[in-house]
Amino acid sequence: MSDTQQINDVISLERVGEIALICIDNPPVNASAQPVREGLIAAVEAANADDAVKVLAIYAAGRTFVAGADIREFGKPPLTPSLPDTINTIEASAKPVISAPHGTALGGGLEICMGTHARVGVKGLRVGLPEINLGLLPGAGGTQRGPRLMGMKNTLDMSLTGKMVPGETAADWGLIDRIDEGEPRDVALKAAQDVLDGTLKTRVTSELPVEVDQEALDDARAMVAKKMPFLASAPKVIEAVERSTGDVKEGMAFERECFMDLLQNAASTRGMIHAFFSERAVAKVPEAGATPREIKKIGVIGGGTMGSGIATSALNSGLDVRMIEISDEALQRGISTVTKNLEGAVKRGKSTQEKMEAALARFTPTTNMDDLGDVDLVIEAVFEDMDVKKDIFTNLDRICKEGAILASNTSYLDVNEIASVTKRPEDVIGLHFFSPAHIMRLLEVVVANKTAPEVVATGFALAKKMKKIGVRAGVCDGFIGNRILAYYGKTAGYLMEDGASPEQIDTALENFGFAMGPFKVGDLAGLDIGWANRKRMAPNRPNEERYVRIHDKICEEGMYGRKTGKGFYIYDEGDIRPNPEALKIIDDERAAKGITPKDFSDQDIVDRYMTAMISEAARVVEEGIALRPIDVDAVFLFGYGFPRFRGGPLKYADEIGAKEIVRRIEEYAKDDSYYWKVPAILARMAEDGTTFEDLNKEG
Ligand code: 3HC
């Protein structure tokens, strides 16, 4: 006998004999939004009031169990009942409650499971406490019940890395009682029956003892100090877990207080939440409704670092790849780079030998461009020379089948001009990958004037297939990222010429949160790359623009950075130190220009650098090169190592406020009114008190 009662829109209660099945159905990911919490309490109470019911089982409909608290509720006034209260009600149920999670049980979802009296996972389950990725700590008992079920070490690992672990591993740890195969409802029903039969034991998690694991606590503290110094939530995780040995109510109160405090007051939490949404927001483009073309076979022209990286990434995502090089020798180099990339993934545990062999079986290197006749999409990744690219696209237009997409991986050249040499400009698009392309997640999808909507949609579908984050960009020199970089990069040069050392600038920016300062990045990428670009731009450089010659002079001495052992720094078997020859060039240039070195504070450095980045980013938004401010943020987060906890340059701008940014630009402009100009959009925002986030909301 079974009867089902709809508790509210998202929770139903079904009675099957002595079992009450509580189903959560809140698409898309069953987030524990207010109606879920309210409905769960009502269902538990109703089942407890029903004399026929002996055991309760919670499961979920759809693709996953509860993927966590509803992130859209964050930042708004808290709605009752809270998730901790909901879970406490479940745990306090007089009748045993079990859970049968499937898909992913994350954050608050896993905490619901922890509060039930037994947990049977559905095969394929993955569990995790990803709150740290949002700059939070588990806020519904995870730091208190976690150690009681799986020990301090596993709780710390899970909540500090935010990584998901397979249900089977969670079962080994004691977090999950066992894994069963079947539909979630059937697994829930069977597990509940096992409780009735006495074959599945139930326990009240809060009543279990916790063993202190001092080594795990110490290791976690050392790791956080070294790797996560900027995240306000990380030390809180450790503190909360440490308190789990005490009274559970006090531990939970402490955990909740930290959670609410971070949510309301921590800039790093706001930044991390913004970064989470940026990853998803960028897919919302005007062309999203168009039907993507089917892509199975792609061509990659060029087997250099970039082309090989793109080929590797495409092979890893299951595509057939044809790589074209100009000579057998160059082709061999490409093959060897692709093979090394694939082997590297196996070594790092990211892939397996079988997957690698399957990928290589789909790889066809050739020196004959005519072999591209049947591919669905071609990505040209040769060096940045417009004439060479035009030549390639003229040939592709002749060779490629009708409907094939012709893409350029150019970093800054005009995609309209490239498209103009073909008879099918609607099929031409920019797909700008970031090096190393098999690792970096950003893909700028550059939409030229005549690019067809379904070609744009295909660019985004390809990004998704390759597990990349596609960001729509308009055509201009450098698109979103490199254009902004070219602008603020000059500030680093000005600061250096005016008195700060490369090391001081790098350190100030690393302390701000960048993994590497701009001079170290330049040395790593190769100073000759920027040099070539500056030579290209030289004929168009306005006379009024201040030009710092230091980088060029360093290059003229054959010092290109890491690859030559010297650049701004000297690289000596793992040891890095400032290069005295570079420092001398800096001194000489200052003397030649009659500059008396100024004493910049680290804050001055960060302020000027960030203000420059924000100014150009604002112009990129104003001109529609980026659809919204959040698109610029995503570009910097996923392609330029921008500190995630700051959410992106324009999220950071909102933290400072447009008024202050305008004030700074006006102040800096006193020395260089050509470079420092207030973008109209910022002036408007300062005037009417609006933010970039307001523009994000407008879409
Ligand atoms: N709250 C609100 N919306 C959420 C959400 C959440 N927790 N998780 C996902 N969504 C939304 C996404 O924004 C997206 O919406 P859109 O379609 O409108 O853009 C939709 O659900 C689908 O998400 P994905 O595109 O990410 O789908 P995937 O299948 O690729 O991934 C997932 C599914 C693995 C569940 C992934 O969405 C995910 O990792 N979600 C975040 C999980 C998380 O961080 N949970 C912890 C929340 S904090 C918490 O629980 C606090 C507690 O301790 C008190």
Side-chain angles (χ1 to χ4, degrees):
M1 242 296 281
S2 123
D3 60 281
T4 304
Q5 175 194 352
Q6 201 66 39
I7 298 282
N8 62 17
D9 284 351
V10 292
I11 301 289
S12 62
L13 177 63
E14 180 190 2
R15 192 158 67 74
V16 185
E18 294 179 323
I19 298 166
L21 287 172
I22 300 172
C23 178
I24 305 170
D25 189 4
N26 183 29
V29 294
N30 286 315
S32 62
Q34 194 274 344
V36 170
R37 305 192 298 266
E38 192 172 62
L40 277 175
I41 291 181
V44 169
E45 284 171 354
N48 268 284
D50 183 344
D51 288 342
V53 170
K54 295 274 183 317
V55 58
L56 289 66
I58 302 175
Y59 74 100
R63 62 196 229 216
T64 176
F65 191 72
V66 178
D70 189 337
I71 302 171
R72 288 162 309 184
E73 282 181 6
F74 292 175
K76 297 180 186 154
L79 298 168
T80 54
S82 70
L83 190 57
D85 286 348
T86 308
I87 298 173
N88 289 341
T89 304
I90 294 171
E91 193 177 50
S93 162
K95 298 174 185 175
V97 187
I98 61 124
S99 48
H102 75 287
T104 47
L106 301 175
L110 183 58
E111 289 170 301
I112 292 176
C113 297
M114 288 180 183
T116 60
H117 305 124
R119 292 146 290 280
V120 175
V122 179
K123 197 161 177 54
L125 172 72
R126 287 178 303 157
V127 299
L129 293 170
E131 289 87 345
I132 196 86
N133 297 332
L134 300 165
L136 289 165
L137 79 167
T143 63
Q144 305 303 303
R145 292 192 180 96
R148 289 176 159 79
L149 290 168
M150 58 175 157
M152 283 191 169
K153 183 176 171 359
N154 293 326
T155 308
L156 285 166
D157 280 355
M158 202 184 244
S159 42
L160 285 171
T161 63
K163 285 194 182 138
M164 291 191 224
V165 300
E168 286 75 8
T169 309
D172 288 345
W173 291 351
L175 173 60
I176 299 285
D177 293 280
R178 64 169 202 244
I179 299 290
D180 277 2
E181 272 187 67
E183 288 301 313
R185 183 182 171 280
D186 297 340
V187 170
L189 203 54
K190 164 86 174 60
Q193 190 58 50
D194 289 348
V195 173
L196 289 174
D197 298 347
T199 50
L200 176 63
K201 281 209 166 54
T202 56
R203 305 174 291 173
V204 176
T205 310
S206 294
E207 291 170 2
L208 302 174
V210 182
E211 239 176 76
V212 181
D213 186 341
Q214 198 52 49
E215 194 183 338
L217 289 164
D218 293 345
D219 288 353
R221 284 215 163 85
M223 190 278 283
V224 164
K226 194 164 167 226
K227 294 197 177 151
M228 310 165 91
F230 302 107
L231 217 50
S233 55
K236 296 290 172 199
V237 168
I238 304 172
E239 219 180 316
V241 168
E242 195 166 34
R243 289 184 186 220
S244 64
T245 51
D247 177 74
V248 80
K249 279 205 184 91
E250 280 173 24
M252 281 193 58
F254 175 77
E255 179 201 75
R256 191 65 183 170
E257 191 186 79
C258 295
F259 184 86
M260 296 311 286
D261 181 48
L262 289 163
L263 208 49
Q264 282 155 14
N265 303 316
S268 59
T269 306
R270 289 193 290 274
M272 295 292 275
I273 292 174
H274 183 79
F276 174 86
F277 281 118
S278 77
E279 199 171 326
R280 287 150 181 87
V282 290
K284 294 181 175 118
V285 296
E287 297 83 358
T291 308
R293 294 185 190 162
E294 197 182 5
I295 305 294
K296 282 194 169 150
K297 217 179 273 179
I298 74 160
V300 176
I301 304 183
T305 312
M306 208 31 152
S308 299
I310 296 170
T312 308
S313 182
L315 288 168
N316 279 336
S317 62
L319 294 164
D320 286 356
V321 178
R322 224 156 273 180
M323 180 194 266
I324 311 289
E325 255 299 355
I326 202 150
S327 65
D328 285 334
E329 203 190 339
L331 194 62
Q332 279 312 318
R333 271 201 301 274
I335 297 169
S336 135
T337 314
V338 170
T339 313
K340 268 192 211 130
N341 290 346
L342 292 169
E343 282 170 353
V346 177
K347 271 191 206 132
R348 290 197 309 275
K350 301 258 172 201
S351 180
T352 60
Q353 188 68 23
E354 297 81 73
K355 277 191 193 151
M356 176 179 135
E357 278 159 22
L360 284 172
R362 280 183 274 103
F363 183 42
T364 327
T366 162
T367 50
N368 186 1
M369 203 151 141
D370 287 342
D371 288 346
L372 294 178
D374 65 343
V375 299
D376 306 307
L377 178 141
V378 186
I379 303 169
E380 162 278 308
V382 305
F383 56 94
E384 296 285 58
D385 181 305
M386 183 55 95
D387 290 338
V388 174
K389 299 215 185 235
K390 279 185 172 170
D391 192 42
I392 288 175
F393 274 75
T394 306
N395 281 318
L396 288 177
D397 197 23
R398 174 180 55 79
I399 296 164
C400 291
K401 67 180 183 190
E402 198 183 317
I405 294 175
L406 313 183
S408 173
N409 175 55
T410 178
S411 315
Y412 43 78
L413 295 178
D414 185 345
V415 183
N416 285 318
E417 196 176 335
I418 297 174
S420 72
V421 299
T422 71
K423 286 187 223 56
R424 43 171 132 177
E426 66 282 1
D427 292 339
V428 178
I429 193 166
L431 290 178
H432 181 211
F433 291 81
F434 288 73
S435 192
H438 57 298
I439 292 178
M440 295 297 284
R441 294 188 68 204
L442 177 64
L443 174 63
E444 281 182 327
V445 178
V446 185
V447 182
N449 294 346
K450 293 187 180 158
T451 312
E454 75 267 19
V455 172
V456 179
T458 312
F460 277 88
L462 184 72
K464 194 161 183 204
K465 196 170 174 59
M466 291 171 110
K467 296 201 173 73
K468 304 221 174 279
I469 294 167
V471 178
R472 191 188 192 281
V475 175
C476 68
D477 203 294
F479 317 123
I480 298 178
N482 280 348
R483 166 166 163 185
I484 298 171
L485 169 71
Y487 183 82
Y488 71 79
K490 289 177 192 154
T491 299
Y494 299 157
L495 281 161
M496 169 172 67
E497 198 170 63
D498 286 340
S501 72
E503 196 187 17
Q504 190 198 352
I505 297 168
D506 280 350
T507 308
L509 291 162
E510 284 159 18
N511 289 339
F512 176 79
F514 284 99
M516 236 188 226
F519 294 96
K520 280 192 199 144
V521 171
D523 273 3
L524 183 65
L527 297 174
D528 51 324
I529 294 177
W531 193 26
N533 204 17
R534 286 192 297 281
K535 283 186 205 160
R536 175 181 70 94
M537 301 292 276
N540 304 324
R541 187 178 309 124
N543 287 335
E544 309 90 307
E545 185 181 304
R546 174 176 174 190
Y547 189 69
V548 173
R549 290 176 303 207
I550 296 167
H551 297 72
D552 297 352
K553 299 222 151 171
I554 291 175
C555 288
E556 282 162 21
E557 297 304 317
M559 300 188 284
Y560 295 164
R562 268 184 201 241
K563 59 181 157 190
T564 57
K566 277 187 211 173
F568 285 99
Y569 297 86
I570 292 185
Y571 300 86
D572 205 356
E573 290 179 9
D575 178 47
I576 304 179
R577 56 183 187 278
N579 178 3
E581 289 173 77
L583 294 177
K584 172 147 190 344
I585 292 173
I586 297 170
D587 280 342
D588 291 349
E589 275 300 296
R590 286 179 189 153
K593 287 194 179 174
I595 294 171
T596 314
K598 273 193 223 138
D599 200 6
F600 289 103
S601 70
D602 287 2
Q603 192 61 49
D604 285 337
I605 291 170
V606 169
D607 287 352
R608 280 181 183 257
Y609 193 79
M610 286 311 303
T611 304
M613 192 186 295
I614 292 164
S615 305
E616 191 65 1
R619 281 187 274 268
V620 160
V621 172
E622 188 163 38
E623 291 170 25
I625 299 297
L627 283 178
R628 296 148 298 216
I630 204 165
D631 294 70
V632 176
D633 288 338
V635 163
F636 277 81
L637 289 169
F638 302 110
Y640 291 80
F642 192 89
R644 191 173 169 96
F645 70 95
R646 296 201 187 270
L650 295 179
K651 172 67 185 165
Y652 178 69
D654 276 353
E655 293 283 327
I656 304 168
K659 250 200 184 110
E660 168 61 12
I661 297 163
V662 168
R663 187 199 65 74
R664 283 186 201 166
I665 297 174
E666 285 169 352
E667 186 193 315
Y668 305 152
K670 288 178 194 155
D671 294 331
D672 183 352
S673 61
Y674 179 78
Y675 179 79
W676 292 106
K677 287 194 179 75
V678 178
I681 188 173
L682 266 175
R684 245 186 349 262
M685 284 166 54
E687 183 81 26
D688 56 24
T690 52
T691 61
F692 285 111
E693 188 54 22
D694 294 327
L695 293 176
N696 287 329
K697 286 192 188 127
E698 279 170 23

